């Protein structure tokens, strides 16, 4: 029986110039980061130097900023950024162990093309690819020649079918399908090639895929939804879930609820890793950390502040409010991100925030947990959640980049290692190996094995 101590996993959640709403204005930020490959290369190498499991970029198939105020639009640094699969394919050649999580939408992508891209990335990176499955809350249908944006329930129904279909396409070829015997002249064993022949509610795809089965079997499946259908989708299909929680109690509830659903799908608790985001503001002392936090907050332009509020208070005219007025209740119905709406609503209600306090609270990490303190205090906070049923991993969200990631690697990681909470070196070569996740069997092979068993039983 293994006596190895459980250790946390770490991901670097990279948001170009940093996660703070005004990060690009900070003197230490790389202002042109969104389109600067050297910047991303350095970040990936820094995360690998720290033995992080993965790097992750969020993504949207359209411009992220949807502000109606032109002044806010021109002061926002998120207008242009790399497409993540292309970015990670390039950076996999500048690294050797760290995993790459790319976001791709089940609402606006095509299953066959997506399966092909991720299988290719897994080969190019030699088994270090992961797919962050998102349903895209924002209406960007005008860019895709489709009638309109699907409702929340329809997006999740489509996502269920989409994920199953992509996995089937990744199984098009069995692991031993490619013989490549020069002497006999046989390249491919056709008995090990499978058509999905899928006809569902949303998709009709014949297959097979034109890329071999990925190195990892499937790229690691990551998901970020925390609504009721999001939790169920994660329990059935995901292997890691990115989540946002403000309090230990909320994180424990989420952790227990999602892990408890796994048994319905014949899955064990170690088959799904839960990774809350954390926005660490570091300083050599508490006072220094607080000063760093206050300086960041001072960079938020008033137009950006009101835009943050308008985004959360859609449908409510805020023109009669001042920033020092109590924050009114948030709208309780949305077709966008339902779980994030609940999180920020609870934040406002629990702390009786003013509008100023509200926008400052979400200017940091959009509802993810903000921790301000010394490296020891950041490590304390992470250890508390990790050891008390709230997290298996953490998605580190540096306030500014590149220095925020470098500081975490150089100051916090050594403390976690000293406490026996984090690795000194990688355990394997693929992302699955480093996360402790099994390589999934081919579904067509499993089905073929079940048919004889059923005949014997009959």
């Amino acid at each position: 029986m293994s006596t190895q101590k459980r250790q946390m996993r770490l991901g670097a959640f990279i948001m170009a110039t940093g996660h703070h709403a005004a990060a690009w204005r900070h003197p230490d930020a790389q202002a042109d980061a969104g389109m600067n490959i050297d910047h991303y290369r350095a970040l990936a190498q820094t995360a690998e130097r720290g033995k992080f499991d993965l790097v992750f970029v969020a993504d949207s198939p359209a411009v992220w900023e949807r502000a109606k105020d032109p002044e806010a639009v021109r002061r926002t640094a998120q207008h242009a950024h790399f497409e993540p699969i292309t970015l990670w394919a390039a950076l996999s050649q500048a690294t050797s162990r760290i995993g790459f999580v790319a976001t791709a939408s089940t609402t606006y992508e095509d299953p066959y093309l997506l399966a092909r891209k991720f299988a290719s990335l897994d080969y190019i990176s030699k088994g270090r690819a992961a797919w962050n499955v998102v349903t895209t809350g924002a209406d960007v249908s005008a860019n895709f020649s489709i009638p309109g944006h699907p409702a929340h329930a329809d997006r999740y129904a489509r996502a269920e079918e989409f994920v199953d279909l992509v996995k089937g396409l990744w199984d098009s070829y069995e692991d031993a399908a490619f013989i490549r015997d020069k002497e006999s002249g046989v390249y491919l064993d056709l008995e090990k090639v499978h058509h999905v022949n899928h006809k569902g509610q949303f998709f009709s795809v014949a297959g097979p895929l034109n890329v071999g089965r990925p190195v990892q079997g499937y790229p690691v499946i990551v998901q970020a939804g925390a609504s009721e259908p999001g939790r169920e989708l994660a329990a059935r299909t995901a292997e890691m879930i990115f989540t946002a929680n403000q309090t230990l109690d909320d994180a424990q509830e989420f952790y227990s609820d999602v892990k408890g659903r796994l048994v319905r799908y014949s899955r064990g608790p170690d088959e799904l890793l839960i990774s809350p985001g954390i926005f660490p503001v570091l300083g050599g002392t508490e006072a220094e950390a607080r000063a760093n936090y206050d300086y960041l907050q001072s960079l938020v332009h008033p137009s950006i502040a009101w835009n943050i509020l308008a985004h959360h208070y859609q449908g409510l005219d805020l023109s009669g409010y001042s920033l020092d007025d109590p924050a009114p209740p948030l709208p309780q119905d949305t077709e966008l991100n339902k779980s994030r709406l609940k999180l920020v609503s609870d934040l406002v209600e629990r702390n009786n925030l003013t509008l100023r306090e509200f926008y400052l609270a979400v200017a940091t990490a959009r509802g993810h947990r903000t921790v301000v303190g010394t490296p020891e205090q950041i490590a304390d906070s992470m250890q508390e959640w990790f050891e008390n049923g709230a997290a298996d991993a953490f998605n580190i969200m540096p306030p500014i980049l590149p220095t925020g990631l470098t500081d975490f690697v150089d100051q916090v990681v050594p403390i976690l290692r000293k406490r026996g909470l984090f690795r000194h070196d990688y355990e394997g070569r693929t992302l699955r190996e480093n996360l402790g996740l099994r390589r999934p069997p081919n579904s067509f092979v499993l089905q073929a094995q079940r048919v004889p068993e059923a005949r014997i039983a009959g």
Side-chain angles (χ1 to χ4, degrees):
M1 184 176 68
S2 174
T3 59
Q4 183 176 358
K5 184 178 179 180
R6 175 173 171 261
Q7 293 193 321
M8 67 177 62
R9 313 298 182 180
L10 292 180
F13 183 174
I14 296 173
M15 186 75 87
T17 58
H19 280 269
H20 192 273
W24 74 273
R25 297 185 63 195
H26 194 283
D28 292 341
Q30 182 73 40
D32 68 346
M35 303 302 294
N36 185 328
I37 187 63
D38 296 330
H39 169 73
Y40 281 99
R41 181 189 300 111
L43 292 176
Q45 291 173 337
T46 296
E48 186 168 74
R49 176 170 64 82
K51 311 303 180 185
F52 275 47
D53 292 271
L54 56 91
V55 285
F56 161 61
V57 287
D59 189 58
S60 172
V63 174
W64 280 345
E65 181 53 54
R66 298 178 298 279
K68 295 180 181 179
D69 177 10
E71 184 66 15
V73 172
R74 78 188 189 98
R75 293 180 178 276
T76 301
Q78 297 177 346
H79 297 286
H81 48 277
F82 290 119
E83 187 281 317
I85 295 180
T86 308
L87 174 65
W88 292 150
L91 295 188
S92 70
Q93 305 306 294
T95 56
S96 62
R97 296 295 184 88
I98 198 160
F100 295 98
V101 185
T103 299
S105 171
T106 59
T107 304
Y108 289 103
E109 294 262 8
D110 174 86
Y112 187 92
L113 294 177
L114 183 145
R116 187 180 186 219
K117 288 188 291 186
F118 274 94
S120 297
L121 178 60
D122 208 40
Y123 274 101
I124 291 168
S125 66
K126 298 182 179 178
R128 293 184 285 143
W131 171 27
N132 179 38
V133 181
V134 299
T135 59
T136 306
D139 183 355
V140 294
S141 57
N143 294 326
F144 290 87
S145 303
I146 60 176
H149 187 60
H152 186 272
D154 291 336
R155 294 199 303 271
Y156 272 95
R158 176 183 166 102
E160 293 271 3
E161 184 179 337
F162 196 115
V163 173
D164 288 344
L165 176 52
V166 167
K167 287 181 176 179
L169 287 166
W170 284 334
D171 285 338
S172 294
Y173 299 91
E174 295 180 26
D175 292 325
F178 292 96
I179 299 171
R180 301 188 182 99
D181 186 336
K182 293 184 178 181
E183 186 174 345
S184 67
V186 176
Y187 190 87
L188 178 66
D189 182 349
L190 291 179
E191 292 186 359
K192 291 180 168 46
V193 181
H194 303 281
H195 295 254
V196 294
N197 291 324
H198 175 88
K199 294 186 183 298
Q201 179 182 356
F202 298 96
F203 306 108
S204 178
V205 178
L209 198 64
N210 61 354
V211 182
R213 191 164 195 254
V215 175
Q216 299 181 98
Y218 307 151
V220 174
I221 302 294
V222 182
Q223 207 245 323
S227 64
E228 176 58 31
R231 294 183 186 207
E232 199 66 22
L233 178 64
R236 189 174 75 82
T237 67
E239 296 166 294
M240 174 174 272
I241 183 165
F242 294 152
T243 181
N245 301 108
Q246 286 283 333
T247 68
L248 177 60
D249 287 346
D250 286 346
Q252 289 171 325
E253 183 280 326
F254 180 85
Y255 188 98
S256 176
D257 177 72
V258 175
K259 295 273 189 176
R261 297 173 189 237
L262 295 172
V263 68
R264 293 205 282 269
Y265 303 104
S266 301
R267 303 182 67 195
D270 294 335
E271 294 182 62
L272 175 59
L273 304 174
I274 295 180
S275 180
I278 180 171
F279 178 95
V281 183
L282 285 162
T285 64
E286 286 187 56
E288 183 181 323
R290 177 55 58 177
N292 291 339
Y293 174 83
D294 290 342
Y295 178 66
L296 269 170
Q297 298 289 43
S298 75
L299 299 176
V300 181
H301 189 271
S303 66
I304 298 296
W306 283 108
N307 180 57
I308 290 171
L309 294 171
H311 174 72
H312 290 283
Y313 285 101
Q314 294 185 29
L316 178 64
D317 183 5
L318 295 174
S319 59
Y321 288 85
S322 79
L323 289 175
D324 294 314
D325 287 333
L330 277 92
Q332 290 306 298
D333 189 32
T334 182
E335 281 298 315
L336 299 176
N337 190 324
K338 292 183 182 292
S339 59
R340 193 58 56 88
L341 171 61
K342 182 180 186 308
L343 185 148
V344 295
S345 295
D346 291 347
L347 177 68
V348 169
E349 182 178 344
R350 182 170 57 246
N351 297 289
N352 297 314
L353 300 181
T354 64
L355 285 172
R356 184 186 309 278
E357 290 168 335
F358 178 36
Y359 92 70
L360 288 173
V362 295
T364 53
R366 304 170 305 284
H368 288 271
R369 184 175 177 227
T370 297
V371 183
V372 181
T374 64
E376 290 79 7
Q377 289 171 324
I378 303 296
D380 289 343
S381 174
M382 295 171 67
Q383 183 172 358
E384 180 185 25
W385 281 37
F386 179 68
E387 292 182 342
N388 288 280
D392 300 307
F394 292 94
N395 227 7
I396 307 304
M397 305 170 64
I400 54 173
L401 287 169
T403 54
L405 180 59
T406 302
D407 290 346
F408 188 93
V409 166
D410 291 341
Q411 298 175 34
V412 180
V413 167
I415 297 171
L416 297 174
R417 285 186 180 137
K418 186 176 180 180
R419 298 179 184 182
L421 296 168
F422 187 62
R423 65 163 66 92
H424 287 267
D425 204 354
Y426 290 105
E427 296 85 3
R429 302 206 70 86
T430 71
L431 178 56
R432 284 187 175 279
E433 290 169 348
N434 289 321
L435 290 175
L437 297 170
R438 69 183 180 93
R439 187 178 189 272
N442 187 298
S443 60
F444 290 102
V445 173
L446 283 180
Q447 184 179 12
Q449 290 171 347
R450 291 191 189 108
V451 171
E453 291 174 1
R455 288 173 182 164
I456 294 170

